[in-house]
């Protein structure tokens, strides 16, 4: 075939395949058979092999690329990916509508607001970028500001158009949506794992997240992920959100067909009622309804409060409850020696997950609910929340149930446990208890610490048992061969784990300090310490990251309690905790040994700041407690820091405000006792905006 003919045929094949893909995955209306699709696909593969110059990156044959080396690069979102406020009842939806109407200056006689109701898809939020008509980058939401570049994996998701179906309104376009695993694909995956005798996945959402964040695009391709898009970033001359969804459809994006434009809040409520049962019949999981003001100029006027838009909210379906049997109560020992009772129940499917374990918090909670081993219990799970045992079904008792009590000695090391006056927690006081060691190492490698992807409990347990890892620095001396010798770790996973260990050698200083697990030093304190060190120790010209990190480590190890209490955000209890850590012969050199093993602080430090903070909360210390519908705990704390404030974890006379949500307990009582002003979520939001 002449080259020009080949080029024309390749273009034709690509168009046919792209269209077939869109018809199948997006429009759910296939026009050609699978065999026909395969035939065209093979013809294109052969043609591209014979004429490599015809190969373009967005050819349908190029969905599956080579495995990704190292970690995923981070991506800063031009427009942050926000979260949504929540509503749990019809009245809370009416409150939302009232806030919207007030914000738009509408009176009682003005017409109802037009809203768009969408199903809230329980998957993984992603951002897709197009240049011209081509898909160029896909990223995860991450913390909302920075996500991970997972383009190679997302290219394999057939519902994501690699080529737009028509010219877009701008040369650069960003579209957001939710990737998910259809129920059928999830069930098929678990059936296959079962046949292979492998452990099963608990739920579709975590499997989706894991699939998008693993390193081999061929694996992503095999998992049959799908997508619904729900947001076009930027107005692009359109007047309403509904119009932007229509545009997305025309461009070839999958938009959920159950989207409905309604007039006024009562129609919103009717939509939530309609879907609370009907959603169970859908081929994908949903955890609520997203309600958005349709007019884009109204959205603009309403704006944002902190990290959530005022023009949208998420209605959450009521937590699903089921009954099951409490088979056994087991005690886990954490990093600080705290003993936590955990319920093992007969596995049940609830809230999209198979639940086997549920936390029981502490012994007081077990007594208050009068839970006995052998009881039939009511279990509930809502969204992201850890499954909870709500109550025992007393009528179902037959007398064989047994009352349970905390053990008197640590189940791991046998040391007699202690419970301090007025504390609900029972602790193992032995600092060398192996459970505390594993807990400490997991904290070190976990999300708030060095974030070593893939280094979880099962692997850490083996590393500790085989004495390959005794302390954090040992992790950085592991090699691929050693990792491969662990149970359940093949060559490929060992290489991936090794790559994530390598990638975690450089972290912001605050993360490194937090990872050490110094008593009373949490994320905020670690950032405060890092900011202090960055300000105290200017970098010398040409000084290596390692050399500077060593100076910072020396400075921290040698700081006196008086010096530490002079640091912004650090009180006496914390300062003493730090001093004790660096006085103990077992821990005093932990940080230095990490540096010897090749760990160093990133320069310039993205977390620490040498300049004084700015914002409406400068110089203020706040404590967050209870559950806030619109923020997770860490989002609220992040918002406090972003506003220049200090997010502390316990209430004292120095606390300026307590932000109290639902189910606030002892911290609220303490704040009331000390006369600390208490803010509800709305008051907190207005302070963040600097308007009060
Ligand atoms: S709109 C500013 N629409 O829910 C508006 N989000 O809590 C941002 N989600 O992170 C999102 N379905 O992952 C929107 N139809 C939908 C959604 C949806 C699921 C997720 C999304 C987001 C979270 C918000």
């Amino acid at each position: 075939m002449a080259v020009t003919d080949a080029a024309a045929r390749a273009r034709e094949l690509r168009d046919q395949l792209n269209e077939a893909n869109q018809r199948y995955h997006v429009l759910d209306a296939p026009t050609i058979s699978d065999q026909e699709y395969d035939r065209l696909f093979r013809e294109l593969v052969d043609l591209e092999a014979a004429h490599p110059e015809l190969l373009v990156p967005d050819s349908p044959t190029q969905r599956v690329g080579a495995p990704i080396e190292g970690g995923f690069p981070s991506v800063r979102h031009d427009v942050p990916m926000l979260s949504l406020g929540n509503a749990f009842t019809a009245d809370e939806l009416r409150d939302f509508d009232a806030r919207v109407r007030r914000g738009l200056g509408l009176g009682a006689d003005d017409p109802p607001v037009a809203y768009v109701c969408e199903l809230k898809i329980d998957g993984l939020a992603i951002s897709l970028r197009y240049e011209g008509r081509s898909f160029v980058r896909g990223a995860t939401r991450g913390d909302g500001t920075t996500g991970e570049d997972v383009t190679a994996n997302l290219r394999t998701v057939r519902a994501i158009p690699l080529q737009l179906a028509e010219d877009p309104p701008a040369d650069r376009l960003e579209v957001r949506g939710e990737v998910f695993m259809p129920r059928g694909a999830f069930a098929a995956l678990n059936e296959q794992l079962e046949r292979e005798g492998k452990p099963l996945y608990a739920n579709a959402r975590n499997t989706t997240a894991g699939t998008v964040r693993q390193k081999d695009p061929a694996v992503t391709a095999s998992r049959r992920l799908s997508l619904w898009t729900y947001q076009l970033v930027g107005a692009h001359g359109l007047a309403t959100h509904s119009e932007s969804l229509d545009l997305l459809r025309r461009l070839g994006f999958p938009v959920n067909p159950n989207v409905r434009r309604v007039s006024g809040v009562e129609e919103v409520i009717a939509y939530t009622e309609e879907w609370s049962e009907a959603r169970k019949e859908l081929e994908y999981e949903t955890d609520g309804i997203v309600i958005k003001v349709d007019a884009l100029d109204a959205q603009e006027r309403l704006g944002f409060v902190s990290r959530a838009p005022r023009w949208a909210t998420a209605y959450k379906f009521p937590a699903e409850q089921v009954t099951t049997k409490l088979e056994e109560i087991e005690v886990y020992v954490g990093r600080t020696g705290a003993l936590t009772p955990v319920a093992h129940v007969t596995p049940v499917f609830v809230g999209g997950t198979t639940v086997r374990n549920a936390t029981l918090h502490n012994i007081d909670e077990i007594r208050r609910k009068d839970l006995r081993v052998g009881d039939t219990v009511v279990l509930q799970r809502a969204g992201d929340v850890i499954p909870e045992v709500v109550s025992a079904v007393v009528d179902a008792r037959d007398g064989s149930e047994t009352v349970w009590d905390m053990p008197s000695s640590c189940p791991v090391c046998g040391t007699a446990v202690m419970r301090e006056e007025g504390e609900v927690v029972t602790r193992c006081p032995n600092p060398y208890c192996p459970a505390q060691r594993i807990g400490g190492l997991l904290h070190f490698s976990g999300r708030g610490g060095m974030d070593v992807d893939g280094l979880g409990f099962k692997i850490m347990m083996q590393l500790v048992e085989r004495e390959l890892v005794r302390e954090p620095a040992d992790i950085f001396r592991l090699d691929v061969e050693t990792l491969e010798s662990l149970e359940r770790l093949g060559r490929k996973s060992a290489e991936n784990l090794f790559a994530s260990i390598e990638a975690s050698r450089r972290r912001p200083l605050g993360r490194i300090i937090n990872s050490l697990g110094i008593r009373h030093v949490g994320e905020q304190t670690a950032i405060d310490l890092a900011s202090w060190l960055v300000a105290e120790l200017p970098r010398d010209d040409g000084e290596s990251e390692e050399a500077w990190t060593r100076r910072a480590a020396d400075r921290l190890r040698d700081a006196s309690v008086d010096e530490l209490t002079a640091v912004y955000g650090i009180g006496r209890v914390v300062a003493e905790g730090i001093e004790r850590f660096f006085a103990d012969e077992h821990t005093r050199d932990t940080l230095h040994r990490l540096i010897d093993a090749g760990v160093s602080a990133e320069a310039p430090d993205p977390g620490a700041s040498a300049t004084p903070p700015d914002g409406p909360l400068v110089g203020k210390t706040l404590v967050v407690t209870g559950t806030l519908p619109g923020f997770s705990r860490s989002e609220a704390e992040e918002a406090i820091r972003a506003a220049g404030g200090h997010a502390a974890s316990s209430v004292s006379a120095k606390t300026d405000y307590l932000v109290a949500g639902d189910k606030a307990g002892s911290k609220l009582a303490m704040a009331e006792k000390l006369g600390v002003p208490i803010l509800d979520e709305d008051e907190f939001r207005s302070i963040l905006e600097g308007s009060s």
Side-chain angles (χ1 to χ4, degrees), residues 138-293:
T140 60
R141 173 177 187 269
D143 64 5
T145 313
T146 315
E148 287 176 324
D149 183 333
V150 288
T151 314
N153 283 337
L154 291 181
R155 293 181 75 83
T156 70
V157 176
R158 299 269 205 108
I160 296 179
L162 299 180
Q163 271 287 321
L164 298 179
E166 54 179 63
D167 279 334
D171 197 48
R172 258 165 82 121
L173 207 66
E174 187 187 340
V175 173
R176 292 179 181 168
E178 200 91 352
V179 254
F180 62 92
M181 186 175 278
R183 293 183 204 267
F186 179 66
L189 174 63
N190 264 347
E191 275 160 30
Q192 183 197 332
L193 290 171
E194 186 152 30
R195 277 197 303 277
E196 294 167 2
K198 293 187 181 151
L200 307 188
Y201 287 107
N203 69 68
R205 184 174 43 122
N206 292 354
T207 313
T208 305
T211 302
V212 172
R213 296 186 66 245
Q214 58 77 47
K215 306 287 170 62
D216 187 354
V219 171
T220 318
S222 73
R223 294 278 174 86
R224 293 163 50 198
L225 297 180
S226 195
L227 170 81
W228 293 120
T229 53
Y230 48 67
Q231 195 188 3
L232 172 64
V233 178
H236 300 290
L238 303 171
T240 62
H241 176 64
S242 335
E243 286 171 27
S244 71
L245 294 180
D246 291 338
L247 175 61
L248 288 179
R249 283 196 189 95
R250 287 201 305 278
L251 292 170
F253 291 98
V255 175
N256 192 284
N258 304 309
V259 172
R260 188 187 301 165
R261 184 175 189 274
V262 301
S263 174
V265 70
E266 295 308 317
E267 289 185 27
V268 168
I269 294 166
Y271 184 90
T272 62
E273 285 166 359
E274 240 173 81
W275 281 102
S276 75
E277 275 306 308
R279 70 191 182 103
K280 295 177 184 157
E281 309 298 318
L282 293 167
E283 239 310 275
Y284 40 86
E285 270 155 28
T286 54
D287 59 347
I289 305 288
V290 181
I291 298 114
K292 303 173 184 175
V293 170

Side-chain angles (χ1 to χ4, degrees), residues 556-683:
L556 183 61
R557 183 175 61 186
D558 300 335
S560 67
V561 168
D562 285 344
E563 281 176 309
L564 290 168
T565 45
V567 174
Y568 173 75
I570 300 201
R572 186 148 291 268
V573 175
V574 178
E576 285 171 359
I578 299 168
E579 191 190 45
R580 227 173 303 129
F581 181 87
F582 287 109
D584 185 315
E585 55 168 325
H586 293 90
T587 48
R588 80 171 268 117
D589 296 318
T590 307
L591 182 53
H592 285 76
R593 283 196 294 268
L594 277 172
I595 301 167
D596 294 340
V599 169
S600 58
E602 265 173 50
D605 194 306
S609 110
T611 49
D614 191 18
L617 287 178
V618 169
K620 300 275 188 249
T621 299
L622 286 81
V623 174
V624 183
T625 189
T627 42
L628 299 167
F631 297 86
S632 70
R633 174 72 50 88
S634 53
E635 282 170 352
E637 292 180 349
E638 212 177 285
I640 291 171
R641 288 196 277 272
H646 184 76
S649 56
S650 59
V651 176
S652 73
K654 281 196 249 161
T655 311
D656 291 292
Y657 297 105
L658 179 77
V659 183
D662 283 353
K663 296 200 187 150
S666 59
K667 288 182 190 168
L668 180 59
M670 177 63 97
E672 280 167 350
K673 198 168 124 199
L674 295 172
V676 172
I678 294 156
L679 305 176
D680 66 17
E681 180 167 341
D682 282 345
E683 290 163 334

Side-chain angles (χ1 to χ4, degrees), residues 19 38 167 283 555 607:
E19 192 187 325
D38 290 343
D167 279 334
E283 239 310 275
R555 184 74 186 86

